[in-house]
Amino acid sequence: MKTVITYGTFDLFHIGHVRLLRRLRELGDRLVVGCSTDEFNATKGKRSVMPYDQRVEILEACRYVDKVFPENDWDQKPDDIEREQADIFAMGDDWVGKFDHLADQVEVVYLPRTQDISTTDVRQLVKSLHTEQVEEIKSAIDHLSGLISKL
Ligand code: C2G
């Protein structure tokens, strides 16, 4: 039983996350994921749109994920690797080199990120859609005001 371990925020779950988790699961027989808590994200200077419990529920619903546990700090990885008996530690390659120190415990793998998608992109897209809708409503109000003024 080969276990793969990874970590992340997985906010606004998107195709980049799905493709990474699928590739990670294909590296072994079991995939366990450390999901960053809201408190830990605050130390990363990140505030996720979705709260921790929702991000966990979405990860647990993903067919490639076998177990989700909280990631509370940077230093828990060696204990997690031991507890989960992980054989491979893997992340997207935006983290390349950052976790090489774990190589004395596990095989460390960095996989290419999925291009042209990120949580920030999704957040910007939603924001732009909202802005468009606000503008449409404003012009409808202006149009109606014009009609009313002619009554
Ligand atoms: N990812 C990817 N392709 C994308 C976006 C993300 O492959 N287009 C990968 C990242 O490389 C990472 C994982 O998906 O391996 C989760 O990404 P984030 O949720 O952004 O995780 P992050 O906030 O970087 O937290 O201790 C490690 C940290 O918890 C990682």
Side-chain angles (χ1 to χ4, degrees), residues 9-10 36 44 46 71 74 77 92 94-95 113-114 117:
T9 302
F10 296 100
S36 310
K44 291 188 216 170
K46 278 179 111 168
E71 180 188 29
W74 292 110
K77 293 183 175 68
D94 48 317
W95 289 94
R113 272 173 71 94
T114 300
I117 183 79

Side-chain angles (χ1 to χ4, degrees), residues 37-95:
T37 62
D38 297 333
E39 295 74 15
F40 178 48
N41 270 336
T43 69
K44 291 188 216 170
K46 278 179 111 168
R47 191 168 62 80
S48 59
V49 173
M50 300 164 98
Y52 172 72
D53 58 337
Q54 290 184 18
R55 292 185 284 111
V56 169
E57 189 173 339
I58 289 170
L59 281 169
E60 286 174 340
C62 176
R63 66 172 61 186
Y64 305 118
V65 175
D66 295 287
K67 177 180 178 182
V68 183
F69 57 88
E71 180 188 29
N72 298 297
D73 61 64
W74 292 110
D75 306 323
Q76 69 183 73
K77 293 183 175 68
D79 292 342
D80 295 338
I81 288 166
E82 189 56 37
R83 183 190 66 245
E84 298 299 334
Q85 292 291 290
D87 305 279
I88 300 174
F89 168 91
M91 297 287 291
D93 62 5
D94 48 317
W95 289 94

